[in-house]
Amino acid sequence: MNNRILKRIFKNKASLAGFILVAFFALVALFAPLLAPVHNVHNPYQLPQAGYEVTPQPPSAQHIFGTTEQQYDLYYGVVWGTRLAFKIGITVTFFAFLIGLFLGSAAAYFGGAADEIIMRFTDIVFAVPSLVLAMVIAAMLGPDIKNMMIALTAVAWPSYARLVRGDVLSVKNRDFVTASRALGARGPRLLLKHILPNSIYPSVVVASLDIGYIVLTAASLSFLGLGAQPGTADWGQLIAMARNWVLGSSGNTFAYWYTVAVPGGVIFLFVLGWNLLGDGFRDILDPRQG
Amino acid sequence: MTTPVEIEHLYKSYDRGGVKFWSRTEAKPVLEDISLRVGEREILGLVGESGCGKTTLAKVVLGLEKYQSGSVKVNGLELKELTKAGFKKLRRQVQVVFQDPYSSLDPRQTVRQILCEPWDIHALYADGAQRENALRELVRAVGLDAAHLNRYPHEFSGGQRQRIAIARALALEPKLLVADEPVSALDVSVQAQILNLLKDISRRRALSMLFISHDFAVARFLCDRIAVMYRGRVLETAPAEELLHNPQHPYTEALLSAVPVPDPQLQKKREPVETKTQRKRGSCPCPYAARCRYYQAAQCRVPLELKQTQEGHFCACAVLPFQKEKSLYAV
């Protein structure tokens, strides 16, 4: 089964490219301490600073991607930012998935009033634009990476709740569940042994797609100053620090191109990788393709 | 010994419409005034067209659906009054085989897991060796091989899957088996095997069976008695052969006329009774009135009840007293 999926991913060029991108970022995240030796042992996500000059410096032998405002090293930021991106993406997706799984399956399994209450609440969360809601929550909790992750989780779970609910609803009336009930099985056993194993799969795929999107949203929040603090190796923060240099100097629009292009390009490639990979997953799991 | 199934004046309806809290719901009756009995070691066939309530009745007998009024006794126990523990105990007496063997087996479990589930739930055969023996015996009883135990359902054919489903139903050694069209999803050649298996098992294990079918030929082969249902009501019950050779109710007659006979010469001459629905007859107590060939306005004044016409033969038809002249009134 897993072999079959991998084989089909490698067959499709687009999803293969996605796989390579994601695998590359995963390796960077894994070997971050080797690629960019830690400066501050207490907080490896603290960017090293080469001096206190405000103006960014172009790429050089010492700083291969250059430095951004206040001489923060872009290379270090990109490498450790990859690790942070995975951390944020996977943690948020995991908890959003768990919450959605719990609420969605409870709504579908119990039905009636429980279903109404849970799903209407889900609709309310859905009704507010997710970035705006995340901003409000992050602003209320205070700017911090942990709080940002809480805010992102709070806006990401509804789609899982809906998805899981739909799948549980369709599985719970299948004959094998009824047969198990006729054998004397009760709620927990039915749900854990029969219903969830048969309804969780689509949500897992959506979760893998979501990681890219979550990282993108996290970068937006950081850019707006609601996530990582200045000096943190976070892609969104790196772009935030480039805010004053986007337009370059007078007469030379692209004078400080690297301050935006490096973190921006990394975010772009990361999200692109997950999207391509996710498209591949979706194509493979689409039942119409057999 | 207690009677395996005894149903009296059962009434069940489904609520139509959305959630009770938000929208107005409407009760749609699916089973009305059903009285049936399955005796010890008896196989009762339940025949009727799609949507007549056969499967709902099966689910009520299994305790999987609630009913509004009437009495349903399984092994002498009134289902409505059972506690959770009592209900679980009853599971060991009543088991079910479903129609579609492709959806009745969990695709993510091996045959071993599927067959062990009943024992896990009821904490039986906890000892490993004992369980292994019981498994082998069970698998052999339904004509499968012990080598099949570690495979998944999708590796089997429809007939084999139905054997697995039957084995699962037999694992708890029930006294009553509810079979909900167990062969209608299978190829004809495989149908015969499964029917023979069911017949053989029911004899060997002294099972009673509630056998649901829409196929008279299948019901005739297996059943001792047949009950004909239409729109949530039982219209006629009789011993199988008697029902086939001497149908009393016009609906049974119409159903039988649609069953082909295995003689091409004869089959060519036969013509199924075709009846159009006449809506203006809607308010009659007899659900079949709107399609009845022998409809009389008078029958609408009589309540519908099963009356004995011969020994063991019951029919619910208000025109029956005029049976001899029935054809004269044909519309």
Side-chain angles (χ1 to χ4, degrees):
Chain A
M1 179 107 170
N2 283 327
N3 257 338
R4 194 178 59 97
I5 289 176
L6 280 185
K7 231 180 242 169
R8 289 186 61 171
I9 282 183
F10 292 142
K11 241 187 205 169
N12 182 335
K13 274 185 193 131
S15 53
L16 177 65
F19 181 81
I20 290 172
L21 275 172
V22 170
F24 172 74
F25 277 112
L27 287 176
V28 170
L30 202 61
F31 295 111
L34 294 177
L35 294 169
V38 180
H39 287 247
N40 180 348
V41 226
H42 302 293
N43 180 12
Y45 294 110
Q46 176 68 49
L47 287 171
Q49 236 170 333
Y52 295 93
E53 199 188 328
V54 177
T55 323
Q57 296 299 315
S60 62
Q62 258 183 328
H63 307 286
I64 54 169
F65 288 158
T67 60
T68 187
E69 199 175 66
Q70 296 184 326
Q71 305 312 307
Y72 289 115
D73 183 22
L74 276 173
Y75 171 75
Y76 190 91
V78 163
V79 170
W80 282 89
T82 308
R83 193 178 256 210
L84 195 62
F86 270 101
K87 215 168 134 183
I88 291 171
I90 289 171
T91 317
V92 169
T93 312
F94 178 75
F95 282 108
F97 180 75
L98 267 184
I99 296 171
L101 185 71
F102 179 74
L103 290 180
S105 52
Y109 186 76
F110 295 112
D115 188 22
E116 282 296 310
I117 293 168
I118 294 174
M119 292 327 287
R120 291 303 77 80
F121 180 59
T122 311
D123 286 344
I124 292 170
V125 180
F126 247 130
V128 185
S130 62
L131 184 61
V132 176
L133 185 60
M135 274 167 59
V136 171
I137 297 172
M140 283 193 315
L141 294 172
D144 175 38
I145 291 183
K146 203 180 85 200
N147 290 342
M148 179 183 72
M149 294 208 285
I150 293 173
L152 288 173
T153 310
V155 298
W157 66 266
S159 55
Y160 296 101
R162 271 198 184 170
L163 199 63
V164 169
R165 173 178 174 269
D167 287 317
V168 168
L169 273 183
S170 79
V171 172
K172 89 167 183 180
N173 287 325
R174 299 260 292 278
D175 280 347
F176 63 82
V177 179
T178 315
S180 181
R181 244 179 352 129
L183 289 168
R186 300 222 189 107
R189 184 189 188 90
L190 289 178
L191 206 55
L192 293 177
K193 287 234 163 178
H194 294 292
I195 298 178
L196 284 184
N198 283 291
S199 54
I200 208 171
Y201 212 38
S203 314
V204 174
V205 174
V206 169
S208 75
L209 289 182
D210 238 13
I211 292 175
Y213 176 73
I214 295 281
V215 168
L216 193 63
T217 316
S220 321
L221 286 181
S222 285
F223 178 77
L224 294 169
L226 291 166
Q229 286 310 289
T232 310
D234 175 85
W235 296 342
Q237 188 51 235
L238 291 180
I239 293 188
M241 285 190 282
R243 206 178 313 169
N244 295 331
W245 310 97
V246 174
L247 291 177
S249 57
S250 60
N252 187 359
T253 318
F254 296 109
Y256 307 111
W257 61 272
Y258 45 88
T259 58
V260 181
V262 170
V266 171
I267 293 177
F268 167 75
L269 289 176
F270 187 82
V271 177
L272 180 72
W274 280 106
N275 280 355
L276 291 177
L277 190 64
D279 276 351
F281 271 134
R282 205 178 43 205
D283 287 349
I284 288 164
L285 294 164
D286 191 346
R288 277 165 297 182
Q289 287 214 339
Chain B
M1 285 299 267
T2 48
T3 318
V5 181
E6 196 151 24
I7 304 172
E8 269 162 25
H9 306 294
L10 166 68
Y11 173 88
K12 171 170 178 59
S13 64
Y14 279 125
D15 283 339
R16 285 171 117 194
V19 180
K20 257 185 190 157
F21 180 71
W22 293 116
S23 38
R24 192 179 300 185
T25 55
E26 179 192 345
K28 158 99 178 150
V30 281
L31 297 173
E32 283 185 85
D33 194 24
I34 297 227
S35 297
L36 274 178
R37 194 173 168 282
V38 182
E40 189 87 5
R41 294 184 176 218
E42 186 185 35
I43 302 181
L44 174 69
L46 213 51
V47 180
E49 59 189 43
S50 316
C52 72
K54 295 170 294 188
T55 299
T56 309
L57 183 60
K59 285 190 172 165
V60 168
V61 170
L62 286 163
L64 298 175
E65 290 274 4
K66 292 188 177 117
Y67 49 99
Q68 273 79 9
S69 68
S71 135
V72 179
K73 283 184 185 160
V74 177
N75 275 323
L77 298 167
E78 174 67 48
L79 289 185
K80 244 183 190 168
E81 290 157 12
L82 278 182
T83 57
K84 271 192 176 175
F87 180 73
K88 193 170 174 186
K89 242 185 200 168
L90 188 69
R91 304 287 93 222
R92 296 181 57 176
Q93 321 255 320
V94 189
Q95 273 307 316
V96 58
V97 177
F98 287 106
Q99 171 176 16
D100 180 6
Y102 287 87
S103 76
S104 67
L105 304 175
D106 190 335
R108 292 188 182 271
Q109 292 195 322
T110 60
V111 174
R112 181 187 299 274
Q113 286 172 309
I114 289 169
L115 294 183
C116 283
E117 190 181 17
W119 297 332
D120 287 338
I121 293 170
H122 293 271
L124 298 168
Y125 299 113
D127 175 58
Q130 232 181 348
R131 178 170 285 202
E132 201 57 30
N133 276 337
L135 259 181
R136 275 164 204 282
E137 208 171 293
L138 192 59
V139 165
R140 206 174 324 123
V142 296
L144 289 173
D145 201 74
H148 292 142
L149 281 172
N150 294 324
R151 298 204 195 147
Y152 284 91
H154 67 84
E155 297 174 61
F156 293 94
S157 69
Q160 284 174 313
R161 282 162 155 260
Q162 202 57 297
R163 285 173 194 269
I164 299 167
I166 292 170
R168 174 177 60 187
L170 293 176
L172 294 172
E173 292 170 16
K175 290 199 183 116
L176 173 73
L177 195 64
V178 176
D180 186 359
E181 307 218 24
V183 296
S184 58
L186 305 174
D187 285 348
V188 177
S189 58
V190 182
Q191 279 191 10
Q193 296 172 11
I194 298 294
L195 285 174
N196 278 323
L197 176 70
L198 282 172
K199 198 169 194 171
D200 183 50
I201 282 171
S202 69
R203 271 199 209 127
R204 224 185 283 173
R205 304 198 168 208
L207 282 177
S208 311
M209 207 187 297
L210 184 62
F211 185 87
I212 294 168
S213 177
H214 58 248
D215 185 340
F216 266 108
V218 165
R220 177 189 189 177
F221 172 80
L222 201 65
C223 301
D224 304 313
R225 233 158 26 96
I226 295 178
V228 178
M229 279 183 77
Y230 181 71
R231 290 220 186 165
R233 286 174 179 273
V234 174
L235 294 183
E236 188 168 9
T237 66
E241 289 301 315
E242 159 79 11
L243 186 89
L244 288 152
H245 293 120
N246 187 18
Q248 295 292 306
H249 200 283
Y251 178 58
T252 316
E253 211 178 20
L255 276 184
L256 283 170
S257 76
V259 179
V261 289
D263 178 343
Q265 300 297 320
L266 218 60
Q267 175 63 24
K268 264 180 209 159
K269 287 181 207 147
R270 295 172 80 237
E271 240 175 74
V273 179
E274 267 183 65
T275 47
K276 268 192 201 147
T277 306
Q278 311 206 358
R279 295 201 177 276
K280 57 186 173 190
R281 296 181 190 168
S283 61
C284 200
C286 175
Y288 189 60
R291 281 167 63 183
C292 189
R293 285 205 293 172
Y294 310 114
Y295 172 80
Q296 296 171 354
Q299 80 184 78
C300 289
R301 281 180 236 124
V302 198
L304 190 78
E305 54 181 338
L306 283 166
K307 289 185 197 125
Q308 184 154 359
T309 60
Q310 285 172 51
E311 184 64 36
H313 195 147
F314 295 85
C315 178
C317 184
V319 249
L320 259 184
F322 318 101
Q323 211 203 343
K324 288 264 161 64
E325 304 101 285
K326 244 187 342 192
S327 49
L328 296 178
Y329 292 95
V331 200

